[in-house]
């Protein structure tokens, strides 16, 4: 009798799952062959009697804490579908932002399969740390939006299975703003809502400030995000975007969401609209209930033109390390974890909005206002550059935003400060 053993171990010590034992139909993994009158197996029965060659596989899997139980169930289901594998696995709690660094630090002890932001995929590929995911990828490829495929493709090969977009959008208080109001930032700011503040975002955070520059038409590392020497934020369009940011910060109806003050005021009903992500939905719903609305980011009138604010989007993905001892099983399991069934379970249990088109257009997702807002903004967003030079963007952009909010950067010195910002990001200007 073929024995299939599954032992899942949560390395944090919180959970140890017992072994699951299943049995095949026979010692050969199928029905015994019958014989004809001459005592030899018939052709059909001989084929049925062909043994299923089983490979013992040991996999280490890293997932965020909230994904442990769902991952455990999914691996067991995967093993049930694959008689060619006899899987023993370990599940450890490692956050999606922590996994790439741990892989960099010690590839030998890193997990075979782990969550990774798509923004870091190209860098890990260039370091030789990721395995291309080709086996079974075609089962989800046609269901993925082009932006998600682009985010995980390097030199024509796919290196990750995307399962959820990661970006922010806008929440609003339905008692203070209408569906028409929230389409335009000018309308939001000009309306007498009766609240202390009308709009809040995080100019001092370099994952938020870019929406004005990218929305206006500026580029970071070129149109495709792959040119480390290019950043147009200090040209005429960039200057117009920066002037808009200065005016916004000085508007008495604006509140800078530093250290969560904007979120706190929003939950108290003192703020009409705020940019934030799906992770804040539970606390906002608890405070505002049916008054909570969620939509894509509004337009803004920058340089005399109404433009759609376009922020960074990357994707939560499942990846395989290049040195895994079991590349076939690891690739197939990574794709399986990102398939429609598991993506829907992940949404229902963990809140990760599925990126797959078939699920995004389903009633369950489309009728969820937060999920619909995330997907709507993801379609308007700009893929976060994944080249290693992106590491030189975050600190200078944050410092620029802090300078604007503190008043150190004004329209009088704006061009000078933008030139310095671009110099810090690209390192292309002569010192």
């Amino acid at each position: 009798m073929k024995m299939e053993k599954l032992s899942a171990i949560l390395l944090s010590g919180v959970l140890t799952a017992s072994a699951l034992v299943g049995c095949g139909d026979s010692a050969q993994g199928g029905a015994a062959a019958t014989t004809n009158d001459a005592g030899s197996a018939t052709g059909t029965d001989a084929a049925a009697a062909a043994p299923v060659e089983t490979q013992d596989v040991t996999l280490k899997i890293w997932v965020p804490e909230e994904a442990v139980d769902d991952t455990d169930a999914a691996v067991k289901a995967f093993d049930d579908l694959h008689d060619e594998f006899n899987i023993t696995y370990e599940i450890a709690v490692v956050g999606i932002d922590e996994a790439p660094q741990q892989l960099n630090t010690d590839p030998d002890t890193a997990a075979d399969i782990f969550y990774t932001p798509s923004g870091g995929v190209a860098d890990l590929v260039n370091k030789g740390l990721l395995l291309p995911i080709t086996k079974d990828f075609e089962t989800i490829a046609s269901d993925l939006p082009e932006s998600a495929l682009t985010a995980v493709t390097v030199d024509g090969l796919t290196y990750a299975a995307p399962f959820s977009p990661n970006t922010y959008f806008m929440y609003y208080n339905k008692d203070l703003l209408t569906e028409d109001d929230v389409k335009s930032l000018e309308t939001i700011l000009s309306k007498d809502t009766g609240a202390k503040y009308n709009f809040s975002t995080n100019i001092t955070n370099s994952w938020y400030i870019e929406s004005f520059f990218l929305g206006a038409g500026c580029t970071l590392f070129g149109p495709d995000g792959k040119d480390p020497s290019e950043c147009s934020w200090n040209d005429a369009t960039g200057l117009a975007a920066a002037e808009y940011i200065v005016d916004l910060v000085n508007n008495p109806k604006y509140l800078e969401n530093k250290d969560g003050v904007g979120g706190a005021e929003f939950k108290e009903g003192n703020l009409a609209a705020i940019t934030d992500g799906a992770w804040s939905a539970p606390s906002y719903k608890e405070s505002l209930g049916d008054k909570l609305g969620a939509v894509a980011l509004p337009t803004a009138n920058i340089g005399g033109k109404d433009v759609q604010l376009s922020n960074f989007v990357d994707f939560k993905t499942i990846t395989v390390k290049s040195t895994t001892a079991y590349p076939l099983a690891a690739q197939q399991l990574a794709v399986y974890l990102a398939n429609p069934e598991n993506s829907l379970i992940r949404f229902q249990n963990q809140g990760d909005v599925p990126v797959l088109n078939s699920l995004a257009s389903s009633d369950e997702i489309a009728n969820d206002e937060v999920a619909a807002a995330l997907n709507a903004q993801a379609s308007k967003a700009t893929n976060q550059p994944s080249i290693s030079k992106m590491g030189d963007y975050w600190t200078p952009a944050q410092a620029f935003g802090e300078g604007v909010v503190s008043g150190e950067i004004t329209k009088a010195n704006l061009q000078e400060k933008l030139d310095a910002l671009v110099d810090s990001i690209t390192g292309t200007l002569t010192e």
Side-chain angles (χ1 to χ4, degrees), residues 217-252:
C218 296
T219 55
L220 177 64
F221 305 133
D224 61 359
K226 296 181 179 180
D227 182 354
S229 67
E230 194 277 345
C231 176
S232 67
W233 290 21
N234 61 338
D235 66 10
T237 301
L239 179 61
E243 288 175 339
Y244 188 93
I245 293 171
V246 171
D247 287 339
L248 176 64
V249 167
N250 291 321
N251 190 314

Side-chain angles (χ1 to χ4, degrees), residues 314-332:
D314 65 359
F315 299 87
K316 296 180 180 181
T317 74
I318 300 168
T319 49
V320 177
K321 77 171 178 179
S322 58
T323 56
T324 179
Y326 305 99
L328 184 61
Q331 287 179 69
Q332 290 180 273

Side-chain angles (χ1 to χ4, degrees), residues 45-123:
D45 290 337
V52 175
E53 187 173 343
T54 303
Q55 179 187 24
D56 289 329
V57 172
T58 300
L59 295 173
K60 183 187 296 185
I61 306 166
W62 285 347
V63 296
E65 185 172 2
E66 65 273 13
V68 169
D69 290 342
D70 289 338
T71 304
D72 181 55
V75 179
K76 290 174 182 175
F78 173 83
D79 188 79
D80 286 343
L81 295 171
H82 291 271
D83 286 343
E84 71 271 29
F85 300 133
N86 178 38
I87 302 178
T88 300
Y89 62 99
E90 297 177 342
I91 297 177
V93 173
V94 178
I96 186 170
D97 293 324
E98 301 167 345
Q101 183 57 46
Q102 292 197 30
L103 175 65
N104 266 304
T105 302
D106 191 355
D108 291 338
T109 62
D112 300 277
I113 300 170
F114 50 93
Y115 285 21
T116 310
S118 64
V121 165
D123 187 45

